[in-house]
Amino acid sequence: MSGKRKRKLKLLSDTITDNRRTVAEVKSENLELQSWADLPSELLELILSRLILADNIRASAVCKRWHSVATDVRVVNQSPWLMYFPKFGDCYEFYDPVQRKTYTLELPELNGSRVCYTKDGWLLLYRPRTLRVFFFNPFTRELIKLPRFEMTYQIVAFSCAPTSPGCVLFTVKHVSPTVVAISTCYPGATEWTTVNYQNRLPFVSSIWNKLVFCNGLFYCLSLTGWLGVFDPVECTWSVLAVPPPKCPENFFAKNWWKGKFMTEREGDILVIYTCCSENPIIFKLDQTLMKWEEMTTLDGVTLFASFLSSHSRTDLIGIMRNSVYFSKVRFYGKRCISFSLDDCRYYPRKQCHDWGEQDPFENIWIEPPKDFSACM
Protein backbone atom coordinates (compact mmCIF):
# COMPACT_ATOMS: atom_id res chain seq x y z
CA MET A 1 0.00 0.00 0.00
CA SER A 2 1.36 3.36 -0.99
CA GLY A 3 2.32 5.91 1.64
CA LYS A 4 -0.21 8.38 0.27
CA ARG A 5 -3.10 5.94 0.76
CA LYS A 6 -1.91 5.08 4.26
CA ARG A 7 -1.99 8.74 5.21
CA LYS A 8 -5.59 9.08 3.89
CA LEU A 9 -6.74 6.07 5.92
CA LYS A 10 -5.07 7.44 9.03
CA LEU A 11 -6.73 10.81 8.54
CA LEU A 12 -10.11 9.08 8.09
CA SER A 13 -9.57 7.01 11.23
CA ASP A 14 -8.60 10.09 13.23
CA THR A 15 -11.68 11.93 11.94
CA ILE A 16 -14.00 9.08 12.98
CA THR A 17 -12.33 8.91 16.40
CA ASP A 18 -12.65 12.67 16.85
CA ASN A 19 -16.34 12.57 15.83
CA ARG A 20 -17.05 9.78 18.31
CA ARG A 21 -15.22 11.72 21.00
CA THR A 22 -17.21 14.87 20.14
CA VAL A 23 -20.53 12.97 20.30
CA ALA A 24 -19.57 11.41 23.64
CA GLU A 25 -18.55 14.80 25.04
CA VAL A 26 -21.84 16.39 23.90
CA LYS A 27 -23.83 13.58 25.53
CA SER A 28 -21.79 13.98 28.71
CA GLU A 29 -22.35 17.72 28.72
CA ASN A 30 -26.10 17.23 28.14
CA LEU A 31 -26.28 14.83 31.03
CA GLU A 32 -24.45 17.31 33.23
CA LEU A 33 -26.88 20.06 32.19
CA GLN A 34 -29.98 17.92 33.00
CA SER A 35 -31.72 18.60 36.33
CA TRP A 36 -34.65 17.30 38.33
CA ALA A 37 -36.83 19.58 36.24
CA ASP A 38 -36.07 17.39 33.21
CA LEU A 39 -37.56 14.18 34.69
CA PRO A 40 -39.89 12.31 32.32
CA SER A 41 -43.53 13.26 32.91
CA GLU A 42 -44.60 9.72 33.89
CA LEU A 43 -41.86 9.47 36.52
CA LEU A 44 -42.54 12.98 37.82
CA GLU A 45 -46.26 12.22 38.20
CA LEU A 46 -45.46 9.02 40.08
CA ILE A 47 -43.13 10.82 42.51
CA LEU A 48 -45.38 13.85 43.14
CA SER A 49 -48.51 11.72 43.58
CA ARG A 50 -46.89 10.04 46.60
CA LEU A 51 -46.19 13.29 48.45
CA ILE A 52 -48.32 14.64 51.28
CA LEU A 53 -50.10 17.90 50.53
CA ALA A 54 -47.50 20.16 52.19
CA ASP A 55 -44.62 18.59 50.21
CA ASN A 56 -46.68 18.63 47.00
CA ILE A 57 -47.18 22.38 47.38
CA ARG A 58 -43.43 22.92 47.99
CA ALA A 59 -42.58 20.84 44.91
CA SER A 60 -44.96 22.90 42.78
CA ALA A 61 -42.73 25.95 43.36
CA VAL A 62 -39.72 24.37 41.59
CA CYS A 63 -40.71 25.40 38.06
CA LYS A 64 -43.72 25.81 35.77
CA ARG A 65 -43.60 22.19 34.62
CA TRP A 66 -43.48 20.82 38.16
CA HIS A 67 -46.28 23.20 39.16
CA SER A 68 -48.49 21.85 36.39
CA VAL A 69 -47.85 18.19 37.28
CA ALA A 70 -48.11 18.80 41.05
CA THR A 71 -51.50 20.50 40.79
CA ASP A 72 -52.78 17.70 38.52
CA VAL A 73 -51.99 14.96 41.06
CA ARG A 74 -52.63 17.01 44.23
CA VAL A 75 -55.15 15.51 46.66
CA VAL A 76 -56.92 18.07 48.85
CA ASN A 77 -59.39 16.94 51.47
CA GLN A 78 -62.99 18.08 51.23
CA SER A 79 -64.31 20.62 53.66
CA PRO A 80 -67.58 19.88 55.47
CA TRP A 81 -70.64 21.73 54.21
CA LEU A 82 -73.06 23.68 56.36
CA MET A 83 -76.56 22.19 56.15
CA TYR A 84 -79.53 24.44 56.96
CA PHE A 85 -82.82 23.15 58.36
CA PRO A 86 -85.80 25.22 57.21
CA LYS A 87 -88.61 26.15 59.57
CA PHE A 88 -91.10 25.33 56.81
CA GLY A 89 -91.00 23.21 53.66
CA ASP A 90 -88.70 20.47 52.37
CA CYS A 91 -86.00 22.62 50.72
CA TYR A 92 -82.60 22.20 52.42
CA GLU A 93 -79.58 24.35 51.66
CA PHE A 94 -75.93 23.23 51.75
CA TYR A 95 -73.19 25.85 51.92
CA ASP A 96 -69.69 24.99 50.61
CA PRO A 97 -67.17 27.30 52.39
CA VAL A 98 -64.41 26.51 49.85
CA GLN A 99 -66.34 27.49 46.70
CA ARG A 100 -68.60 29.86 48.65
CA LYS A 101 -71.58 28.36 46.88
CA THR A 102 -74.96 27.20 48.13
CA TYR A 103 -76.69 24.07 46.82
CA THR A 104 -80.27 22.97 47.37
CA LEU A 105 -81.94 19.58 47.82
CA GLU A 106 -85.58 18.68 48.40
CA LEU A 107 -85.74 16.19 51.26
CA PRO A 108 -89.36 15.37 52.15
CA GLU A 109 -88.06 12.39 54.17
CA LEU A 110 -87.01 14.84 56.90
CA ASN A 111 -90.42 16.43 57.36
CA GLY A 112 -91.24 16.95 61.05
CA SER A 113 -87.79 15.91 62.26
CA ARG A 114 -85.05 17.61 64.24
CA VAL A 115 -81.34 17.06 63.69
CA CYS A 116 -79.28 15.66 66.59
CA TYR A 117 -75.81 14.89 65.23
CA THR A 118 -73.71 14.25 62.10
CA LYS A 119 -70.76 12.03 61.31
CA ASP A 120 -69.32 10.46 58.14
CA GLY A 121 -71.98 12.13 55.96
CA TRP A 122 -74.91 10.75 58.02
CA LEU A 123 -77.54 12.66 59.95
CA LEU A 124 -79.12 11.43 63.18
CA LEU A 125 -82.67 12.76 63.47
CA TYR A 126 -85.60 12.68 65.88
CA ARG A 127 -89.35 13.13 65.34
CA PRO A 128 -90.86 14.40 68.63
CA ARG A 129 -94.46 13.59 67.63
CA THR A 130 -93.82 9.93 66.90
CA LEU A 131 -90.66 9.48 69.04
CA ARG A 132 -89.02 8.04 65.93
CA VAL A 133 -85.21 8.11 65.80
CA PHE A 134 -83.47 7.43 62.47
CA PHE A 135 -80.32 7.83 60.42
CA PHE A 136 -80.48 9.53 57.05
CA ASN A 137 -77.91 10.22 54.37
CA PRO A 138 -79.16 13.30 52.48
CA PHE A 139 -76.93 12.58 49.48
CA THR A 140 -77.79 8.89 48.92
CA ARG A 141 -81.31 9.13 50.44
CA GLU A 142 -80.59 6.00 52.48
CA LEU A 143 -82.69 5.79 55.68
CA ILE A 144 -82.08 3.49 58.67
CA LYS A 145 -84.77 3.28 61.35
CA LEU A 146 -84.03 2.87 65.06
CA PRO A 147 -86.32 1.91 67.96
CA ARG A 148 -88.61 4.66 69.25
CA PHE A 149 -87.22 6.66 72.13
CA GLU A 150 -88.46 9.64 74.14
CA MET A 151 -85.71 12.24 74.32
CA THR A 152 -85.69 14.92 76.98
CA TYR A 153 -83.51 16.96 74.63
CA GLN A 154 -81.90 16.12 71.29
CA ILE A 155 -78.31 15.81 72.48
CA VAL A 156 -77.25 12.41 71.13
CA ALA A 157 -74.04 11.21 69.47
CA PHE A 158 -72.99 8.12 67.54
CA SER A 159 -69.58 6.51 67.13
CA CYS A 160 -69.37 5.91 63.35
CA ALA A 161 -71.50 5.55 60.22
CA PRO A 162 -74.54 3.30 60.83
CA THR A 163 -73.43 1.10 57.93
CA SER A 164 -70.18 0.32 59.78
CA PRO A 165 -69.88 -2.47 62.35
CA GLY A 166 -69.72 -1.25 65.92
CA CYS A 167 -71.94 1.81 65.49
CA VAL A 168 -73.26 2.87 68.91
CA LEU A 169 -75.57 5.73 69.92
CA PHE A 170 -75.20 7.49 73.26
CA THR A 171 -77.12 10.04 75.30
CA VAL A 172 -77.05 11.03 78.97
CA LYS A 173 -79.45 12.90 81.25
CA HIS A 174 -79.68 13.69 84.95
CA VAL A 175 -82.03 11.67 87.17
CA SER A 176 -80.90 13.27 90.44
CA PRO A 177 -77.86 15.30 91.54
CA THR A 178 -75.85 12.11 92.03
CA VAL A 179 -77.37 9.84 89.36
CA VAL A 180 -77.34 10.01 85.54
CA ALA A 181 -79.31 7.83 83.12
CA ILE A 182 -77.29 6.71 80.09
CA SER A 183 -79.15 5.33 77.07
CA THR A 184 -77.48 3.43 74.24
CA CYS A 185 -78.64 1.78 71.04
CA TYR A 186 -77.27 0.39 67.78
CA PRO A 187 -78.62 -0.20 64.25
CA GLY A 188 -80.67 -3.37 64.21
CA ALA A 189 -81.59 -3.22 67.92
CA THR A 190 -85.23 -3.64 68.94
CA GLU A 191 -85.05 -1.24 71.91
CA TRP A 192 -82.82 1.27 73.66
CA THR A 193 -80.89 0.23 76.77
CA THR A 194 -81.02 2.66 79.71
CA VAL A 195 -78.88 2.22 82.82
CA ASN A 196 -78.50 4.50 85.84
CA TYR A 197 -74.97 5.37 86.98
CA GLN A 198 -73.60 7.07 90.05
CA ASN A 199 -72.49 10.57 89.13
CA ARG A 200 -69.87 12.78 90.75
CA LEU A 201 -70.63 16.45 91.15
CA PRO A 202 -70.03 19.09 89.89
CA PHE A 203 -70.85 17.43 86.53
CA VAL A 204 -74.44 18.35 85.62
CA SER A 205 -76.02 17.08 82.41
CA SER A 206 -78.21 19.47 80.38
CA ILE A 207 -79.32 20.45 76.88
CA TRP A 208 -76.00 22.32 76.59
CA ASN A 209 -73.91 19.12 76.73
CA LYS A 210 -71.27 18.67 74.01
CA LEU A 211 -70.66 15.10 72.86
CA VAL A 212 -67.83 13.51 70.91
CA PHE A 213 -66.58 9.96 70.31
CA CYS A 214 -62.80 9.52 70.58
CA ASN A 215 -60.53 6.48 71.06
CA GLY A 216 -63.48 4.20 71.72
CA LEU A 217 -65.02 6.47 74.39
CA PHE A 218 -67.86 8.99 74.47
CA TYR A 219 -66.85 12.32 76.02
CA CYS A 220 -69.52 14.65 77.40
CA LEU A 221 -68.64 18.26 78.22
CA SER A 222 -71.09 19.74 80.72
CA LEU A 223 -72.46 23.26 80.82
CA THR A 224 -69.86 24.26 83.43
CA GLY A 225 -66.91 22.60 81.66
CA TRP A 226 -66.59 19.28 83.52
CA LEU A 227 -65.93 16.18 81.41
CA GLY A 228 -67.81 12.89 81.76
CA VAL A 229 -66.59 9.73 80.00
CA PHE A 230 -68.62 6.66 78.97
CA ASP A 231 -67.04 3.40 77.82
CA PRO A 232 -69.62 1.58 75.61
CA VAL A 233 -67.69 -1.71 75.81
CA GLU A 234 -67.10 -1.82 79.56
CA CYS A 235 -70.36 0.09 80.24
CA THR A 236 -68.70 2.44 82.74
CA TRP A 237 -69.27 6.12 83.49
CA SER A 238 -66.81 8.45 85.20
CA VAL A 239 -66.21 12.16 85.65
CA LEU A 240 -62.62 13.23 85.08
CA ALA A 241 -60.91 15.11 87.90
CA VAL A 242 -59.92 17.87 85.49
CA PRO A 243 -61.01 21.43 86.39
CA PRO A 244 -62.78 23.29 83.55
CA PRO A 245 -60.72 25.36 81.10
CA LYS A 246 -59.82 28.79 82.46
CA CYS A 247 -61.35 31.67 80.54
CA PRO A 248 -61.48 35.42 81.25
CA GLU A 249 -64.55 36.47 83.21
CA ASN A 250 -66.01 38.40 80.29
CA PHE A 251 -66.41 35.07 78.42
CA PHE A 252 -69.26 34.23 80.76
CA ALA A 253 -71.61 36.95 79.61
CA LYS A 254 -75.18 36.54 78.37
CA ASN A 255 -75.72 33.34 76.30
CA TRP A 256 -72.07 32.28 76.78
CA TRP A 257 -73.06 28.58 76.81
CA LYS A 258 -74.20 28.76 73.18
CA GLY A 259 -70.69 29.72 72.04
CA LYS A 260 -68.91 26.61 73.32
CA PHE A 261 -67.90 23.72 71.04
CA MET A 262 -66.04 20.40 71.30
CA THR A 263 -64.42 18.08 68.75
CA GLU A 264 -61.57 15.57 68.49
CA ARG A 265 -58.42 15.32 66.40
CA GLU A 266 -56.27 12.17 66.24
CA GLY A 267 -57.11 11.17 69.80
CA ASP A 268 -57.04 14.68 71.29
CA ILE A 269 -60.10 16.38 72.76
CA LEU A 270 -60.39 20.03 71.69
CA VAL A 271 -62.73 22.64 73.18
CA ILE A 272 -63.49 26.07 71.70
CA TYR A 273 -64.75 28.92 73.88
CA THR A 274 -66.05 32.08 72.21
CA CYS A 275 -67.11 35.52 73.37
CA CYS A 276 -68.76 38.18 71.22
CA SER A 277 -66.19 40.80 72.26
CA GLU A 278 -63.02 38.67 72.34
CA ASN A 279 -61.04 36.26 70.19
CA PRO A 280 -61.95 32.60 70.72
CA ILE A 281 -59.79 30.41 72.96
CA ILE A 282 -58.99 26.80 72.05
CA PHE A 283 -58.02 24.21 74.65
CA LYS A 284 -56.62 20.69 74.31
CA LEU A 285 -56.99 18.08 77.02
CA ASP A 286 -53.57 16.85 78.18
CA GLN A 287 -54.53 13.29 79.08
CA THR A 288 -51.18 12.65 80.78
CA LEU A 289 -51.13 15.65 83.10
CA MET A 290 -54.95 15.71 83.19
CA LYS A 291 -55.34 19.41 82.56
CA TRP A 292 -56.53 21.74 79.78
CA GLU A 293 -53.83 23.49 77.75
CA GLU A 294 -54.48 26.62 75.71
CA MET A 295 -53.48 26.24 72.04
CA THR A 296 -51.83 29.01 70.03
CA THR A 297 -51.72 26.99 66.81
CA LEU A 298 -53.62 24.11 65.24
CA ASP A 299 -50.59 23.01 63.19
CA GLY A 300 -52.47 23.37 59.91
CA VAL A 301 -55.69 21.70 61.12
CA THR A 302 -59.04 23.36 60.39
CA LEU A 303 -61.93 23.14 62.86
CA PHE A 304 -65.60 23.44 61.91
CA ALA A 305 -67.75 24.40 64.88
CA SER A 306 -71.51 24.06 65.22
CA PHE A 307 -73.75 23.66 68.23
CA LEU A 308 -74.68 19.98 67.82
CA SER A 309 -71.47 18.55 66.38
CA SER A 310 -68.07 19.91 65.35
CA HIS A 311 -65.40 18.49 63.06
CA SER A 312 -61.68 18.76 62.25
CA ARG A 313 -59.90 18.45 58.89
CA THR A 314 -56.33 18.45 57.56
CA ASP A 315 -54.97 19.12 54.08
CA LEU A 316 -57.46 21.78 53.11
CA ILE A 317 -56.57 24.67 50.81
CA GLY A 318 -53.95 26.97 52.31
CA ILE A 319 -56.20 29.89 53.26
CA MET A 320 -58.39 27.62 55.42
CA ARG A 321 -55.64 26.04 57.51
CA ASN A 322 -54.99 26.82 61.16
CA SER A 323 -58.46 28.34 61.44
CA VAL A 324 -61.86 27.78 63.02
CA TYR A 325 -64.92 28.00 60.78
CA PHE A 326 -68.17 28.79 62.55
CA SER A 327 -71.72 27.92 61.51
CA LYS A 328 -72.64 31.45 60.47
CA VAL A 329 -72.54 32.88 56.94
CA ARG A 330 -72.43 36.63 56.27
CA PHE A 331 -72.81 38.89 53.23
CA TYR A 332 -75.82 37.13 51.72
CA GLY A 333 -74.27 33.69 51.79
CA LYS A 334 -70.89 34.74 50.41
CA ARG A 335 -68.59 34.40 53.42
CA CYS A 336 -68.44 32.05 56.39
CA ILE A 337 -67.29 33.57 59.67
CA SER A 338 -63.86 32.17 60.55
CA PHE A 339 -61.02 32.90 62.94
CA SER A 340 -57.38 32.59 61.85
CA LEU A 341 -54.89 31.59 64.53
CA ASP A 342 -52.06 32.76 62.24
CA ASP A 343 -53.47 36.30 61.97
CA CYS A 344 -55.25 36.35 65.37
CA ARG A 345 -58.37 37.89 63.82
CA TYR A 346 -61.82 37.09 62.50
CA TYR A 347 -62.66 36.99 58.80
CA PRO A 348 -64.48 39.02 57.61
CA ARG A 349 -62.97 41.65 59.90
CA LYS A 350 -64.98 42.60 63.01
CA GLN A 351 -67.39 39.72 62.43
CA CYS A 352 -67.13 38.04 65.82
CA HIS A 353 -70.55 36.60 66.48
CA ASP A 354 -72.96 36.74 69.40
CA TRP A 355 -74.26 33.17 69.51
CA GLY A 356 -77.21 34.30 71.58
CA GLU A 357 -78.65 35.78 68.37
CA GLN A 358 -78.67 32.45 66.53
CA ASP A 359 -80.93 29.39 66.80
CA PRO A 360 -78.40 26.67 67.74
CA PHE A 361 -80.45 24.01 65.95
CA GLU A 362 -80.81 25.77 62.58
CA ASN A 363 -77.72 24.27 60.93
CA ILE A 364 -74.96 21.68 61.25
CA TRP A 365 -71.70 20.75 59.50
CA ILE A 366 -71.88 17.60 57.37
CA GLU A 367 -69.39 15.70 55.20
CA PRO A 368 -70.39 16.12 51.52
CA PRO A 369 -70.12 13.50 48.75
CA LYS A 370 -67.20 13.54 46.34
CA ASP A 371 -69.58 14.18 43.43
CA PHE A 372 -72.56 16.28 44.45
CA SER A 373 -73.89 16.43 40.86
CA ALA A 374 -74.99 12.80 41.20
CA CYS A 375 -77.31 13.82 44.06
CA MET A 376 -79.24 16.47 42.11
Side-chain angles (χ1 to χ4, degrees), residues 120-148:
D120 299 335
W122 285 83
L123 299 166
L124 179 64
L125 301 118
Y126 175 62
R127 284 197 176 99
R129 291 185 180 181
T130 61
L131 308 183
R132 173 64 70 189
V133 185
F134 63 100
F135 287 108
F136 184 73
N137 187 317
F139 308 111
T140 65
R141 302 295 182 95
E142 189 174 357
L143 189 150
I144 299 176
K145 293 183 179 180
L146 295 162
R148 298 178 190 274

Side-chain angles (χ1 to χ4, degrees), residues 6-21:
K6 285 182 178 179
R7 284 195 298 272
K8 286 184 177 179
L9 288 173
K10 187 177 185 304
L11 286 172
L12 180 61
S13 175
D14 290 344
T15 301
I16 293 172
T17 301
D18 289 342
N19 287 341
R20 285 177 177 171
R21 187 180 297 115

Side-chain angles (χ1 to χ4, degrees), residues 29 34-35 42 46 50 66 69 87 109 112 114 117 123 129 145 177 192 200 212 223 233 242 297 308-309 331 353 361:
E29 288 176 3
Q34 283 184 340
S35 67
E42 295 80 4
L46 180 63
R50 295 174 180 269
W66 277 43
V69 176
K87 293 182 178 180
E109 301 93 332
R114 297 177 182 173
Y117 203 76
L123 299 166
R129 291 185 180 181
K145 293 183 179 180
W192 287 69
R200 185 172 68 84
V212 71
L223 172 68
V233 176
V242 181
T297 179
L308 292 169
S309 64
F331 302 124
H353 184 56
F361 303 103

